[in-house]
């Protein structure tokens, strides 16, 4: 794709990666992604904001073929999907200074072997004048790493936000418009990347929401031409409010845990609790993470394997703990053959979650009537908790 004009002196460039299916060797990318960079040209100076993932460097170099000089290469974030092509751009433009936050300086040196002499660090609120275009740097830590910052261009009311507000979407339309799928993709991205830092993200939202904004231009996914929509969505996601949703994540080896899950799911639904079921041998963990953004309850279902939870349950619970969703309640259900400590081990896996354990229902082998009755009690307790939160319809 060629460079695309956003407004006079400001262009999108970068790479759309339609085929990528996994990020960080962890995160599923059902819709690919993009690595957006931006070129800002003032009357006197030219700045390139961010670069691309290293395998896409040739795309960026072709887009820059007719750009004779870059004075500033701004790095908002040292992660390689945005910074990976920095060494090649610095070689191509020997006059360019690499502009970043003080915390990014050591990361860029450590990860990319950039020489310190090429780096100009900028403080929060510092400006660079390009001649009729001003780059105002805003330190926004933990969207996604501790060094992250954004750039605001007041003359054109554009916030260049890098990972902040991004979405893993390959696109042909440069602008998000009203497309609800972009918001869904942004929610998935928030869940995977931003949710562990929810309280810091909230502070950064406060910092940018006071700006006059025509566009938010992230470094993944389309540009927001209705920026208040994505800001409002983020405000909802980082808020303390949870929804009437129980996420059931489970594995069943020989069908007993599946019976428990299906019984509890129906019992919750009968009581007005919305349920989303995730069978972990085939689950898209990004979708599971997205539901954890505002779910009130997590139900973990597991058979007992060698005295503990199934390894896939172990991994999913560990991931939920790392993502730190604002869950309020957790319940554990499952079946065992002759004993084990699966519930105790699951509880030990979630120290980051500020949750109340509503109940544990276990059975030996197949569930009998007393187990099903215990599941009814558990469903009733979860429904009561949701009602107390004002979440039942
Ligand atoms: Fe898109 Fe944290 O990198």
């Amino acid at each position: 794709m060629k460079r695309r004009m956003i407004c006079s002196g400001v262009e999108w460039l970068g790479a759309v990666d339609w085929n990528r299916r996994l990020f960080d060797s962890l995160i599923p990318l059902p819709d690919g992604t993009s690595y957006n960079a931006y070129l800002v040209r003032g009357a006197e100076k030219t700045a390139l904001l961010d670069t691309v993932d290293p395998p896409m460097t040739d795309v960026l170099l072709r887009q820059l073929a007719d750009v004779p000089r870059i004075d500033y290469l701004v790095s908002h974030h040292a992660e390689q999907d945005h910074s990976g092509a920095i060494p090649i751009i610095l070689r191509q433009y020997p006059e360019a200074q690499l502009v970043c936050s003080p915390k990014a300086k050591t990361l860029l040196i450590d990860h990319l072997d950039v020489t310190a002499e090429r780096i100009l660090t900028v403080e929060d609120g510092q400006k660079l004048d390009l001649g009729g275009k001003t780059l105002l740097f805003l330190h926004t830590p933990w969207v996604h790493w501790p060094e992250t910052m954004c750039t605001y261009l007041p003359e054109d009311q554009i916030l260049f936000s890098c990972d902040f507000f991004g979405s893993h979407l390959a696109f042909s339309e440069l602008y998000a418009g009203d497309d609800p799928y972009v918001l869904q993709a942004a929610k998935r991205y928030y869940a995977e990347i931003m949710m562990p830092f929810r309280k810091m993200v909230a502070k950064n939202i406060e910092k940018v929401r006071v700006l006059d904004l025509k566009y938010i231009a992230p470094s993944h996914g389309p540009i927001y031409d209705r920026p208040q929509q994505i800001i409002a969505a983020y405000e909802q996601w980082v808020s303390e409010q949870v929804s009437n949703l129980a996420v059931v994540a489970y594995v069943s080896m020989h069908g007993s845990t599946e019976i428990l899950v299906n019984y509890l799911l129906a019992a919750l639904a009968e009581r007005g609790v919305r349920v989303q079921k995730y069978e972990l041998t085939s689950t898209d963990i990004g979708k599971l993470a997205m539901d954890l953004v505002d779910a009130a309850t997590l139900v973990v279902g597991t058979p007992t394997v060698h005295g503990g939870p199934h390894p896939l349950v172990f991994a999913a619970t560990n991931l939920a703990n790392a993502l730190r969703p604002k869950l309020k309640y957790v319940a554990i259900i499952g079946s065992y053959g002759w004993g084990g400590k699966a519930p105790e081990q699951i509880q030990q896996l979630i120290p980051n979650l500020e949750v109340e354990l509503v109940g544990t229902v276990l059975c030996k082998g197949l569930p009998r009537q007393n187990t099903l009755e215990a599941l009814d009690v558990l469903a009733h307790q979860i429904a009561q908790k949701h009602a107390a939160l004002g979440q039942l319809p």
Side-chain angles (χ1 to χ4, degrees):
M1 225 180 263
K2 292 180 179 169
R3 294 197 311 264
R4 298 169 78 171
M5 182 184 281
I6 300 170
C7 60
S8 176
V10 183
E11 293 169 279
W12 171 93
L13 64 171
V16 179
D17 197 343
W18 293 90
N19 293 342
R20 189 159 179 181
R21 286 292 169 266
L22 199 62
F23 196 81
D24 286 349
S25 300
L26 174 68
I27 296 168
L29 300 181
D31 302 302
T33 191
S34 70
Y35 320 106
N36 305 335
Y38 298 94
L39 194 66
V40 182
R41 292 198 250 209
E44 289 140 27
K45 306 270 188 187
T46 295
L48 174 64
L49 313 187
D50 289 320
T51 67
V52 294
D53 205 36
M56 295 290 193
T57 302
D58 285 352
V59 176
L60 182 63
L61 289 174
R62 280 198 296 278
Q63 291 166 333
L64 290 170
D66 62 348
V67 177
R69 181 180 173 92
I70 290 174
D71 299 282
Y72 301 114
L73 172 52
V74 176
S75 174
H76 293 119
H77 178 22
E79 192 166 12
Q80 288 85 341
D81 52 324
H82 311 292
S83 67
I86 282 174
I88 289 173
I89 298 295
L90 288 179
R91 272 205 297 279
Q92 191 85 358
Y93 294 94
E95 71 286 356
Q97 277 187 293
L98 179 58
V99 179
C100 63
S101 70
K103 280 190 180 158
K105 182 174 179 177
T106 50
L107 287 168
L108 290 166
I109 291 169
D110 291 343
H111 289 284
L112 299 168
D113 217 11
V114 176
T115 55
E117 296 72 41
R118 297 291 299 268
I119 296 178
L120 169 69
T121 59
V122 287
E123 298 300 326
D124 186 31
Q126 193 170 332
K127 294 176 183 171
L128 271 181
D129 181 13
L130 306 181
K133 302 272 188 204
T134 310
L135 304 182
L136 167 62
F137 302 106
L138 300 170
H139 287 191
T140 49
W142 296 107
V143 291
H144 157 213
W145 286 2
E147 89 296 5
T148 44
M149 69 173 190
C150 299
T151 298
Y152 180 57
L153 182 60
E155 290 84 358
D156 299 301
Q157 300 184 349
I158 304 174
L159 179 73
F160 301 98
S161 62
C162 202
D163 276 356
F164 198 14
F165 304 117
S167 64
H168 279 310
L169 273 180
F171 59 84
S172 60
E173 297 288 318
L174 189 56
Y175 298 102
D178 278 324
D179 186 348
Y181 194 71
V182 177
L183 271 189
Q184 281 298 100
K187 185 176 185 182
R188 174 189 272 261
Y189 186 87
Y190 164 84
E192 295 160 336
I193 305 291
M194 304 285 161
M195 189 157 65
F197 319 113
R198 183 166 62 92
K199 294 196 171 132
M200 289 304 301
V201 174
K203 284 187 184 162
N204 288 321
I205 295 170
E206 283 173 23
K207 195 164 189 172
V208 302
R209 76 170 342 281
V210 297
L211 302 170
D212 292 323
L213 290 173
K214 269 192 202 153
Y215 301 107
I216 292 179
S219 291
H220 295 291
I223 295 169
Y224 299 96
D225 46 347
R226 292 158 175 79
Q228 295 311 321
Q229 283 185 359
I230 186 66
I231 290 175
Y234 257 68
E235 285 176 333
Q236 178 66 30
W237 300 334
V238 301
S239 76
E240 291 302 323
Q241 197 176 4
V242 291
S243 69
N244 173 34
L245 174 64
V247 170
V248 182
Y250 77 102
V251 169
S252 186
M253 291 164 69
H254 298 291
S256 298
T257 302
E258 179 88 42
I259 294 170
L260 298 183
V261 163
N262 288 339
Y263 190 92
L264 181 64
L265 193 156
L268 287 166
E270 283 164 17
R271 290 163 175 82
V273 176
R274 195 160 62 86
V275 185
Q276 191 65 50
K277 178 183 175 187
Y278 288 100
E279 197 283 308
L280 292 171
T281 65
S282 58
T283 282
D284 170 350
I285 58 164
K287 195 161 179 295
L288 170 61
M290 191 162 55
D291 269 334
L292 290 176
V293 167
D294 44 20
T297 298
L298 172 65
V299 177
V300 180
T302 186
T304 297
V305 182
H306 301 309
H310 189 283
L312 292 177
V313 173
F314 192 98
T317 311
N318 186 52
L319 180 65
N321 183 63
L323 293 177
R324 296 172 182 255
K326 54 190 177 188
L327 288 161
K328 304 289 183 199
Y329 308 108
V330 69
I332 302 166
I333 62 175
S335 172
Y336 58 89
W338 50 89
K341 302 263 181 211
E344 292 87 337
Q345 290 185 24
I346 288 169
Q347 280 180 264
Q348 287 166 8
L349 283 169
I350 51 173
N352 293 340
L353 303 185
E354 294 166 14
V355 288
E356 174 189 338
L357 178 64
V358 183
T360 299
V361 176
L362 294 183
C363 63
K364 187 175 183 191
L366 283 168
R368 306 306 205 278
Q369 188 58 33
N370 61 334
T371 304
L372 302 181
E373 287 168 6
L375 290 173
D376 278 321
V377 171
L378 179 60
H380 178 71
Q381 288 170 328
I382 292 171
Q384 279 193 318
K385 299 285 186 191
H386 285 212
L389 291 169
Q391 287 298 320
L392 277 190

